[in-house]
Amino acid sequence: MNKSELVSEIQANLGGASKADAENALSAVLASVKTAIKKAGKTVKVSDKDAKPAVAIQLVGFGTFSVTRRNARSGINPLTKAPLKIKASKAIKFKPGAGLKGAL
């Protein structure tokens, strides 16, 4: 499903809403998710080894978005086989809830 199909599905679920209203609703939700993830990402320090995931959004029945840290590590360039250092970073994780798992 792509964005336009999702907008059509939202429009159908909203009943008499226009396609523009459905697209605005989707845009508002996605902007809110981005804002919450940015705030959670600021609370996770990459250098803190004992940091637990910062929960950005928890939607009961759907799932949880969280921000975790990834330690610096060494890797290998697959093209040249040369060793390289990979910097510490933050990553977004999604853990599906029971309701979403049950829908499968």
Side-chain angles (χ1 to χ4, degrees), residues 43-52 68-71 88:
T43 63
V44 175
K45 295 180 182 175
V46 175
S47 61
D48 186 6
K49 293 182 180 179
D50 296 326
K52 293 184 178 180
T68 60
R69 62 169 184 78
R70 299 180 73 186
N71 292 328

Side-chain angles (χ1 to χ4, degrees), residues 2-85:
N2 61 29
K3 186 176 178 179
S4 64
E5 292 170 342
L6 183 58
V7 168
S8 297
E9 186 69 24
I10 292 170
Q11 181 184 11
N13 286 333
L14 290 177
S18 69
K19 194 166 191 171
D21 290 339
E23 191 163 351
N24 289 339
L26 177 61
S27 296
V29 169
L30 294 178
S32 298
V33 169
K34 286 180 187 178
T35 301
I37 288 173
K38 282 182 186 178
K39 286 180 183 177
K42 290 179 182 177
T43 63
V44 175
K45 295 180 182 175
V46 175
S47 61
D48 186 6
K49 293 182 180 179
D50 296 326
K52 293 184 178 180
V55 174
I57 299 176
Q58 187 174 16
L59 302 170
V60 176
F62 182 73
T64 302
F65 292 92
S66 61
V67 179
T68 60
R69 62 169 184 78
R70 299 180 73 186
N71 292 328
R73 59 199 186 280
S74 60
I76 297 175
N77 183 333
L79 184 62
T80 63
K81 307 296 185 209
L84 58 101
K85 298 268 185 183

